[in-house]
Amino acid sequence: MERIKVEICCGTACYLLGAAKLMDIELSLPPDLRARVDIEARTCLEMCERENLGGAPYVRFNGTEVMCEASPEKVFARICELAGVEEAL
């Protein structure tokens, strides 16, 4: 089973707009799901340059899919979708 890679932008804008809370998402994952997810803080995903600060914080899934205005709830829901499991906090 392929692991889900989650990259959380922790650049200044993203960090101030909520990325710090996103780093705790791993703690809310059930143990079986946590074993299938790699969560990594990134210095910057460079999305502010391409998009705008209004979309921060940014999270990238599996190296391609970018979520803007990420919240712990949105990230958790997307991880569950990618893992093919029903959401259960």
Side-chain angles (χ1 to χ4, degrees):
M1 189 172 302
E2 203 169 306
R3 295 182 64 81
I4 299 165
K5 183 177 181 181
V6 180
E7 298 170 275
I8 299 172
C9 183
C10 288
T12 304
C14 287
Y15 190 83
L16 292 174
L17 293 171
K21 293 177 186 172
L22 296 174
M23 290 307 301
D24 291 334
I25 191 81
E26 188 170 14
L27 301 174
S28 68
L29 296 174
D32 58 325
L33 187 54
R34 189 179 311 151
R36 298 174 54 193
V37 178
D38 291 323
I39 297 177
E40 180 182 344
R42 299 296 306 256
T43 304
C44 186
L45 294 179
E46 299 179 6
M47 295 304 300
C48 294
E49 292 176 6
R50 289 184 221 141
E51 302 295 327
N52 62 42
L53 292 177
Y58 293 97
V59 175
R60 184 167 47 209
F61 298 92
N62 296 326
T64 57
E65 176 188 342
V66 176
M67 176 185 285
C68 62
E69 298 177 6
S71 69
E73 296 80 16
K74 285 173 61 176
V75 172
F76 182 83
R78 187 61 185 137
I79 289 171
C80 289
E81 289 174 8
L82 290 169
V85 298
E86 279 197 39
E87 206 177 314
L89 278 176

